[in-house]
Amino acid sequence: MADDTITSERDLSPIFPKGDPNDAYAQYFIGQSYLAPLGDAQLGASNVTFEPGCRNNWHVHHKGGQVLICVAGRGWYQEWGKDAQELHPCDVVSIPPEVKHWHGSARDSWFQHIALAVPAEGASNEWLEPVDDEAYNKLA
């Protein structure tokens, strides 16, 4: 497996913008993330950039799911009750509605993914508890 670790933000995707600090959702992240909306709000697509060690809290997408398209760096995705899976550029994760999960960067790498909200009437997100530091720190 190739080492997709990115230690400097200058090596992020030249195609997708890093975006602005994700201040609106900062309370649901450990570490700094950045958000760059792609297209208009109807599309429901954003490039999310995570600094090394950054991850979002456990959360659930009600009614509509989410699709992650990894574009740069190395990260993690985990569903509740399952082992975490390492993510690399070109990986795609399809997250069904009602699945508790989290995603973010590896401890030593920047990470970028396109997040697509799957449209559904009455769709919403429920933010839950932070990812346990001890469990996160055990990931390679």
Side-chain angles (χ1 to χ4, degrees):
M1 182 181 322
D3 183 7
D4 296 307
T5 299
I6 294 177
T7 58
S8 171
E9 74 179 276
R10 72 175 173 266
D11 295 324
L12 292 170
S13 171
I15 299 169
F16 296 103
K18 176 179 143 190
D20 297 320
N22 190 6
D23 295 337
Y25 292 91
Q27 64 187 344
Y28 306 118
F29 285 73
I30 294 173
Q32 182 65 57
S33 66
Y34 300 85
L35 191 63
L38 303 174
D40 61 23
Q42 177 180 314
L43 182 60
S46 294
N47 183 49
V48 184
T49 300
F50 301 81
E51 287 185 346
C54 178
R55 69 263 190 200
N56 53 31
N57 288 5
W58 289 98
H59 58 286
V60 176
H61 299 277
H62 296 294
K63 298 193 178 176
Q66 185 179 42
V67 175
L68 307 177
I69 303 170
C70 305
V71 296
R74 195 168 61 85
W76 293 98
Y77 167 78
Q78 185 175 17
E79 293 182 5
W80 188 258
K82 295 184 179 180
D83 291 338
Q85 67 182 78
E86 192 169 1
L87 299 176
H88 301 272
C90 299
D91 287 345
V92 176
V93 181
S94 182
I95 307 162
E98 314 307 330
V99 172
K100 184 176 178 179
H101 67 282
W102 69 270
H103 34 102
S105 66
R107 288 188 321 251
D108 62 347
S109 181
W110 287 78
F111 179 61
Q112 289 179 297
H113 66 52
I114 305 301
L116 302 168
V118 177
E121 188 171 334
S124 66
N125 294 346
E126 180 182 1
W127 290 98
L128 304 165
E129 71 274 12
V131 174
D132 176 77
D133 283 339
E134 185 177 342
Y136 176 79
N137 288 330
K138 288 180 183 176
L139 300 174

